[in-house]
Amino acid sequence: MVGQRFAGKTVVITGGGGGLGGEYCRAFARESAQVVAVDLDHSGLDRLEKSIIEEGGHCEAQCADLCRESDVSALFERCAGSHGGVDILINNAGGDLAYNGPIEGFPVDHWDTVVNRNLKTAFLCARAAAPLMKRKRYGKIVNVSSRAARSVGWYGAVTVAYICAKLGVIGLTRHLAKELGPHGINVNCLVPSFTISGPLLQHHWDQMTGGERDSMLRATPLGRLPEMRDMANVVLFLASDESAYMTGVAVDVNGGSWMA
């Protein structure tokens, strides 16, 4: 343990079994948070929970299908019973499906799956967390969007459903910030660029041509891909009281590859 920034705080992190999700869980645990890591299955969660506990942190692995309202309700009811509520929610669950064709061939079930994973999960979790946070008159919600929502074509492996869903996450952030602000709840959004955080994204990077990789780096003023800690540091900031007067903000962490 290296810090006390989130001592006494309970944080729910969705998509906790993945690369960036796991990084967020470890970062909060190192700052003394009570971490509830949530994912669809236990494949990555069990290892994460064990490693955090071995480091002296606190982590509970919770398996849930966050596209199902009943699973989400049960998750937050458990948090209310075990921890007295939720202080921080990191809506990190998401992902895309492979498709590289025209819009007329895009499968409707792909659209539903991707939009549900990225946008519906954030909506359902925020809806369940809001009353728990209102009781405390305190809460931090950090939604995770994507650089893909900022401009089309920067990274060609994403689908139309993913782009639209991640745009929706930014819109959801703004609406929730306005609605929940009077209750002492801050809602902000991380907009990360392409981050190698696991085998799938490493594969995407490896499959690019040298020219494609060089083009991506040339379009980034800082001249490098981000490290996972670059994203985790911003999530910690947005979840902390250091950002107490920020709400409704979409924070771009992309090395300058897109500037408003």
Side-chain angles (χ1 to χ4, degrees):
M1 307 301 292
V2 296
Q4 297 290 316
R5 192 161 24 159
F6 297 101
K9 304 294 186 187
T10 297
V11 52
V12 173
I13 302 175
T14 71
L20 276 173
E23 184 74 9
Y24 302 153
C25 290
R26 286 184 286 270
F28 276 99
R30 292 187 190 112
E31 291 288 345
S32 303
Q34 304 285 307
V35 175
V36 179
V38 188
D39 215 311
L40 187 59
D41 60 59
H42 280 287
S43 58
L45 286 180
D46 291 339
R47 292 190 299 272
L48 175 73
E49 182 183 54
K50 182 179 179 181
S51 67
I52 288 176
I53 292 172
E54 287 176 347
E55 291 176 6
H58 183 280
C59 180
E60 297 175 18
Q62 297 283 348
C63 185
D65 181 350
L66 299 177
C67 294
R68 298 176 56 183
E69 183 180 359
S70 58
D71 278 24
V72 173
S73 297
L75 168 67
F76 284 90
E77 286 171 6
R78 286 194 296 271
C79 289
S82 300
H83 301 283
V86 173
D87 301 291
I88 301 162
L89 168 63
I90 311 300
N91 275 318
N92 172 68
D96 202 358
L97 294 173
Y99 180 77
N100 188 27
I103 184 68
E104 59 265 30
F106 193 85
V108 173
D109 61 335
H110 275 38
W111 174 276
D112 291 341
T113 297
V114 173
V115 172
N116 286 346
R117 284 179 181 177
N118 291 276
L119 184 55
K120 185 179 181 180
T121 58
F123 160 69
L124 288 177
C125 289
R127 188 180 71 160
L132 302 178
M133 293 177 174
K134 285 180 179 180
R135 291 173 197 166
K136 297 185 176 187
R137 292 202 58 79
Y138 177 89
K140 303 282 187 175
I141 298 175
V142 181
N143 298 321
V144 179
S145 180
S146 169
R147 169 69 173 75
R150 291 305 199 185
S151 62
V152 175
W154 182 75
Y155 172 52
V158 296
T159 68
V160 61
Y162 185 80
I163 292 169
C164 292
K166 289 305 191 184
L167 273 166
V169 168
I170 295 174
L172 176 67
T173 299
R174 292 170 176 166
H175 174 87
L176 292 176
K178 183 174 182 180
E179 179 179 331
L180 300 178
H183 300 277
I185 302 168
N186 301 70
V187 188
N188 291 295
C189 185
L190 172 73
V191 187
S193 61
F194 178 89
T195 307
I196 297 177
S197 56
L200 179 60
L201 290 170
Q202 182 67 60
H203 174 74
H204 284 321
W205 178 253
D206 292 342
Q207 290 300 302
M208 292 182 189
T209 66
E212 289 170 334
R213 289 193 290 266
D214 289 344
S215 177
M216 181 179 285
L217 294 177
R218 283 197 303 271
T220 305
L222 291 184
R224 65 172 177 87
L225 293 181
E227 298 178 9
M228 289 197 290
R229 66 182 179 182
D230 293 319
M231 302 305 163
N233 287 338
V234 177
V235 170
L236 290 176
F237 169 70
L238 292 175
S240 75
D241 291 335
E242 296 162 16
S243 59
Y245 202 61
M246 291 175 61
T247 199
V249 176
V251 180
D252 292 281
V253 186
N254 58 39
S257 66
W258 185 88
M259 302 183 191

